[in-house]
Amino acid sequence: MSMIIISSLEELWAARATLKGPVGLVPTMGYLHAGHISLARRAKAECQSVIATIFVNPTQFGPNEDLSRYPRSLERDLQLLEAAGVDLVWTPTAQELYPPDFQTWVNVEQITQPLEGAMRPGHFRGVTTIVSKLFNATRPEKAYFGQKDAQQVAVISQMTRDMNHPIEIIVCPTMREDDGLAMSSRNSYLSAEERQAATVLYCALLTATRAFEGGETNAEKLRQVVREVISSEPRAQLQYVSCADYATLAELQTVDHKALLSLAVFIGKTRLIDNFVLG
Ligand code: PAF
């Protein structure tokens, strides 16, 4: 069966009714890379039918962020999704999802406060609102997200529990380039020199993780390792480094249980994030 591609909500509802369950959902903003495709393949392996969505969600971008220049490549995305075995692609429009009288938001209160939430006010409200709309429209049994956006995964998992969505959230490993750079659609903004410099995020996380594995459990010392490695790269500007409890994202003093070591770094004007799990 060839892949169904639809845009309107009404067509989606009709097509969804024909899909055999369990249904896996892979929500994306397009400009797909191997990370997205790994989500689609995993969904295909675990579900009878796979729905992918492509929607650059305006409500999760701040006023000074990159919404207008976010990269797009619909034709290529569709080919990649078809090759990965996706059954249905939904490419909704902003007009239909956010009509002029739209006024209902989904807001997760605590776990959205630190890290990305602190740097990008309103970002997670946009994410949880759109993901909740995608869940309602596609009614999947499982939904697939990448570990690279670790806080997003935590926030969406919290929302799924709190709103009683009967959906299992599946977290897939971060896909990396050969030199360790985490795959991201935003890597396409980097110049050749910046792309080279961007490996410093991975180096910093790796160096701190080695220190942890070597017995360093003082969270501030691990954060300091990250700061030092990032400051060795002149094109990199650290926005934050965090060594936090994996479940609550509260900053730790001692890493004596599962922790998330994460950071956000500007390489030139491009903001990149990455993380490793400790313990
Ligand atoms: O991770 C993303 O690409 C987006 O935040 C998501 C989950 C598709 C919601 O717009």
Side-chain angles (χ1 to χ4, degrees):
M1 200 180 79
S2 64
M3 189 172 76
I4 307 167
I5 303 161
I6 48 192
S7 182
S8 81
L9 201 41
E10 212 167 314
E11 284 172 303
L12 172 74
W13 286 329
R16 170 65 183 85
T18 69
L19 293 182
K20 291 204 184 84
V23 169
L25 174 69
V26 181
T28 83
M29 298 208 298
Y31 207 74
L32 304 181
H33 51 66
H36 298 109
I37 301 308
S38 75
L39 305 183
R41 289 196 192 284
R42 170 101 178 253
K44 188 67 187 175
E46 295 180 353
C47 302
Q48 189 72 28
S49 308
V50 179
I51 303 178
T53 61
I54 301 178
F55 180 61
V56 181
N57 173 38
T59 64
Q60 69 187 76
F61 290 77
N64 300 317
E65 293 184 357
D66 53 345
L67 172 61
S68 60
R69 65 185 187 114
Y70 196 82
R72 288 165 167 86
S73 60
L74 184 59
E75 279 313 309
R76 187 176 161 275
D77 290 349
L78 294 175
Q79 285 166 15
L80 291 171
L81 292 173
E82 183 149 37
V86 168
D87 299 281
L88 191 162
V89 181
W90 183 34
T91 59
T93 62
Q95 292 88 319
E96 192 166 31
L97 291 190
Y98 296 111
D101 66 341
F102 183 84
Q103 52 185 300
T104 303
W105 299 94
V106 177
N107 195 33
V108 174
E109 294 190 356
Q110 281 160 37
I111 205 168
T112 54
Q113 296 301 311
L115 310 179
E116 291 301 286
M119 298 301 149
R120 304 182 66 189
H123 168 67
F124 284 122
R125 185 181 82 147
V127 170
T128 43
T129 300
I130 192 64
V131 171
S132 157
K133 285 161 76 68
L134 298 177
F135 282 179
N136 288 338
T138 62
R139 292 179 290 105
E141 271 80 22
K142 297 181 185 218
Y144 295 80
F145 297 90
Q147 170 66 25
K148 188 192 144 250
D149 296 306
Q151 189 177 12
Q152 170 169 280
V153 167
V155 169
I156 290 171
S157 301
Q158 185 73 44
M159 175 196 80
T160 305
R161 286 194 298 277
D162 291 350
M163 300 309 289
N164 309 120
H165 286 293
I167 300 172
E168 189 184 346
I169 303 300
I170 312 280
V171 187
C172 301
T174 302
M175 297 295 283
R176 297 184 180 279
E177 305 289 354
D178 289 344
D179 61 6
L181 177 66
M183 289 190 186
S184 163
S185 306
R186 290 190 167 99
N187 292 349
S188 65
Y189 298 148
L190 301 169
S191 68
E193 296 76 21
E194 288 171 345
R195 168 64 189 79
Q196 192 78 30
T199 59
V200 75
L201 279 83
Y202 178 72
C203 290
L205 290 172
L206 197 61
T207 310
T209 301
R210 286 196 179 130
F212 171 71
E213 285 166 357
E216 182 57 80
T217 58
N218 181 315
E220 186 47 27
K221 289 205 172 134
L222 296 173
R223 288 187 281 265
Q224 190 53 28
V225 171
V226 170
R227 286 186 200 107
E228 278 164 19
V229 177
I230 297 293
S231 67
S232 70
E233 170 49 64
R235 291 179 202 272
Q237 182 78 44
L238 184 70
Q239 192 180 40
Y240 68 76
V241 53
S242 159
C243 184
D245 178 279
Y246 190 80
T248 64
L249 301 184
E251 290 302 320
L252 291 173
Q253 289 192 335
T254 308
V255 185
D256 50 10
H257 56 281
K258 195 172 173 185
L260 184 75
L261 182 65
S262 65
L263 78 174
V265 176
F266 278 96
I267 304 286
K269 289 198 167 71
T270 303
R271 184 176 182 278
L272 301 177
I273 59 171
D274 199 352
N275 67 81
F276 274 22
V277 178
L278 302 180

